[in-house]
Amino acid sequence: MTRTQLASASRRRLLQAGAALSLTAPVGRLLAAPSAEGARLLVVFLRGAYDCCNVLVPTASDFYYQSRPSIAIPRPGQPDGALALDADWGLHPALASTVLPLFQRRDAAFIPFAGTDDLTRSHFETQDGIELGQALGGRRDYGSGFLNRLAQVLGAGPLQEVAPIAFTDQLPLSMRGAARVGNMGLGGAGGRGLDARQTADIAAMYSQSPLKGNVAEGFAVQDEVRRSIQAEMDQASRNAISAKGFELVARRMARLMRDRFDLGFVDVGGWDTHVNQGGSTGYLANRLQELGRGLAGFAEELGEPAWRETVVVVISEFGRTFRENGNKGTDHGHGTVYWVLGGGLSASAGGRVVGTQQALTAQTLFQNRDWPVLNEYRAVLGGLFQRMYGLSAQQVAQVFPGAAPRDLNLV
């Protein structure tokens, strides 16, 4: 049985089982691109706007260290320092055992100054805009996401049948449209500080102490602040699984994509770090460790030769402010960094930082606060899809209307 036949048979079995899988309208029938057979794509959406500046660290920028006195990642060679990638860039040390080995064997690349030209800095507006993939300024069609349009282009034609899947509880905007798409929520995991029982136990310890009032007041203030911050983070995450949850389910996702599906989407929440973001250690570092283990586990579980046919793209709605704020965190920004992982990256991209770049100084910041966008996401992804699937310019225009594909020679 061919891989295409296997995907088709597996999807029929899932349809018959019906339990955790929901489907949209039937797929359109369009002729598939000739080089599409065998290729797999997984898009990982980090909801909440992760701080790219502390992941792909601009170690050559003195302005970076001046702008982040509390949360900057030290230069390579210093304690807890960044992991040198080249003369200008380093990687967060939390990714030392996971993403760095992929980069070193040329299975990973980074695209800085990436993102959308949307300037709202609204999580919801920008997430929607990216997932829809439509031109800015026009009326949005919320029934047509860019991954669904890609599935339509690849089509269920005589050369190939595409099998898309969203690893989410609800079908995401990116997968909405005429093509049939399965969605399968894989659950979440991860703790959120002291629970009610632990708080009560600690309060009881001080119940006969002069500090009783201080402890009670401290917990009350802490709870109020946590609720306020958590509410915004939860809204920005839009019910996405946590990074810990992603780590736990990534291998299951890999097995499903190896055997049944070839176009996937998953979202990971918890990246809206306004307060106590941390530097080499702390909140962001912990999330990066979990994300890194999930990505490395996904690659390992796919195995060869499937990993050589797979591309994983990690994106986020926007970046964060270049300067840290007064709460030792960062606020909503503009440009960000995309990750591209896979066993078939080209020699000119794998193990490199690619795309248009510039020095990060006070003079080059966008609106004196953010990374600029120099690598527009529809152009970059359009160029990637063109190479992966052998798409024509007309087919790319179906996926990203009005965008000119930009070939970064990623695969």
Side-chain angles (χ1 to χ4, degrees):
M1 181 178 286
T2 67
R3 182 174 170 274
T4 296
Q5 291 168 328
L6 178 62
S8 179
S10 298
R11 185 162 59 178
R12 282 197 298 272
R13 288 194 297 272
L14 286 171
L15 275 167
Q16 292 163 0
L21 189 65
S22 63
L23 297 169
T24 63
V27 67
R29 299 190 63 83
L30 299 173
L31 191 65
S35 65
E37 188 169 358
R40 295 175 185 82
L41 172 70
L42 175 67
V43 174
V44 181
F45 201 125
L46 305 184
R47 295 197 189 275
Y50 87 100
D51 181 33
C52 63
C53 207
N54 270 17
V55 175
L56 185 66
V57 185
T59 53
S61 171
D62 291 335
F63 183 55
Y64 165 77
Y65 292 98
Q66 297 165 9
S67 300
R68 297 187 166 212
S70 303
I71 65 172
I73 309 299
R75 285 189 165 97
Q78 298 181 7
D80 297 320
L83 312 166
L85 300 181
D86 59 27
D88 298 315
W89 302 102
L91 188 65
H92 195 293
L95 300 170
S97 63
T98 55
V99 177
L100 181 63
L102 292 173
F103 187 89
Q104 291 172 330
R105 67 174 190 248
R106 300 186 181 276
D107 285 1
F110 295 98
I111 308 172
F113 306 104
T116 172
D117 292 329
D118 185 297
L119 299 180
T120 64
R121 293 191 177 86
S122 159
H123 292 297
F124 312 126
E125 287 285 324
T126 315
Q127 287 177 20
D128 289 355
I130 287 177
E131 287 196 70
L132 294 173
Q134 300 160 15
L136 292 178
R139 177 180 172 275
R140 285 181 173 176
D141 179 358
Y142 283 88
S144 179
F146 82 88
L147 286 176
N148 192 286
R149 295 195 298 274
L150 177 61
Q152 293 178 60
V153 167
L154 298 180
L159 296 183
Q160 179 182 356
E161 181 172 329
V162 66
I165 180 73
F167 299 102
T168 55
D169 291 323
Q170 302 294 324
L171 194 68
L173 283 182
S174 61
M175 286 289 199
R176 292 184 187 176
R180 173 181 281 181
V181 178
N183 69 283
M184 181 184 300
L186 297 178
R192 295 190 177 181
L194 297 177
D195 59 27
R197 181 189 59 79
Q198 293 168 320
T199 299
D201 289 345
I202 294 173
M205 291 172 54
Y206 290 92
S207 62
Q208 305 302 319
S209 163
L211 297 176
K212 174 183 176 181
N214 302 78
V215 171
E217 182 180 357
F219 276 132
V221 172
Q222 182 187 64
D223 189 53
E224 181 181 352
V225 172
R226 182 185 292 121
R227 284 199 307 269
S228 174
I229 295 171
Q230 193 62 51
E232 180 172 351
M233 290 188 69
D234 288 345
Q235 289 176 345
S237 296
R238 286 185 161 180
N239 297 316
I241 61 173
S242 66
K244 181 64 176 177
F246 174 71
E247 176 190 351
L248 295 175
V249 302
R251 289 182 179 272
R252 193 186 320 165
M253 289 169 46
R255 290 192 294 271
L256 287 167
M257 290 202 67
R258 182 184 61 210
D259 299 333
R260 301 181 181 183
F261 302 101
D262 45 26
L263 180 60
F265 175 94
V266 64
D267 48 10
V268 182
W271 304 97
D272 195 21
T273 51
H274 288 280
V275 177
N276 294 329
Q277 175 179 301
S280 299
T281 60
Y283 179 85
L284 178 62
N286 293 339
R287 302 295 78 76
L288 291 172
Q289 285 181 334
E290 294 158 354
L291 176 66
R293 288 193 292 261
L295 292 169
F298 180 87
E300 183 179 35
E301 192 69 26
L302 269 179
E304 297 290 350
W307 178 238
R308 290 199 302 272
E309 299 174 334
T310 300
V311 174
V312 178
V313 181
V314 181
I315 66 175
S316 195
E317 63 261 39
F318 43 70
R320 305 195 72 81
T321 48
F322 192 78
R323 301 176 181 89
E324 70 176 77
N325 62 28
N327 294 315
K328 299 183 179 180
T330 50
D331 299 316
H332 299 178
H334 188 46
T336 186
V337 175
Y338 288 177
W339 314 12
V340 182
L341 316 172
L345 298 192
S346 71
S348 62
R352 293 188 57 198
V353 180
V354 299
T356 302
Q357 303 169 41
Q358 65 182 28
L360 285 163
T361 68
Q363 291 71 40
T364 60
L365 292 186
F366 177 73
Q367 296 183 346
N368 193 35
R369 54 175 280 161
D370 308 319
W371 291 49
V373 170
L374 307 178
N375 301 292
E376 197 271 337
Y377 86 103
R378 298 196 315 148
V380 169
L381 294 184
L384 172 63
F385 298 164
Q386 194 169 48
R387 273 194 170 266
M388 280 186 68
Y389 301 110
L391 302 186
S392 66
Q394 182 181 11
Q395 287 172 314
V396 174
Q398 288 180 255
V399 180
F400 292 117
R406 183 173 176 207
D407 187 5
L408 295 183
N409 195 26
L410 292 166
V411 295

